[in-house]
Amino acid sequence: LENIEEIDNKPQDDLDDVSIVPNPYIAFSDFDQTKGDGQLRFTRLPLKCTIAIYTVNGELVKRIYHESTFDGNEVWNLKNEAGNEVAPGLYIYVVESGDAKKIDKFAIIR
């Protein structure tokens, strides 16, 4: 067993477990769903990190600052920095914590 008081100074290990659910995100028709109530959840986040969401062309869509002493989840309401719903398509997310970085992708289907 590892010493419980040992400092975890390997932030890259923590980021390997980060995921986004659901992926792909499938929105229902406007008939079935209230507009604007969709959300994606980032899971297994480190206590403090930054999440940046980009289009596949590299345009920043949204930046989220996560800081929590107990919750490794962060919810994104599928809106960009201007507060508008994002278009369906493929997106890239980057989670950064200290010197560690994880880059992955997800899809939104309508």
Side-chain angles (χ1 to χ4, degrees), residues 20-27 39-40 78 89-90 105-110:
I20 187 167
V21 291
N23 187 14
Y25 173 84
I26 301 172
Q39 61 185 29
L40 280 167
L78 304 178
L90 190 61
K105 60 188 176 301
F106 65 93
I108 297 175
I109 300 169
R110 296 209 195 276

Side-chain angles (χ1 to χ4, degrees), residues 47-58:
L47 298 180
K48 189 173 185 179
C49 64
T50 302
I51 305 162
I53 301 163
Y54 297 93
T55 64
V56 288
N57 297 333

Side-chain angles (χ1 to χ4, degrees), residues 27-36 85 110:
F28 302 103
S29 70
D30 288 340
F31 180 78
D32 295 332
Q33 185 179 28
T34 308
K35 195 159 179 64
E85 265 188 63
R110 296 209 195 276

Side-chain angles (χ1 to χ4, degrees), residues 2 12 57 71 108:
E2 289 185 31
Q12 189 61 52
N57 297 333
D71 188 4
I108 297 175

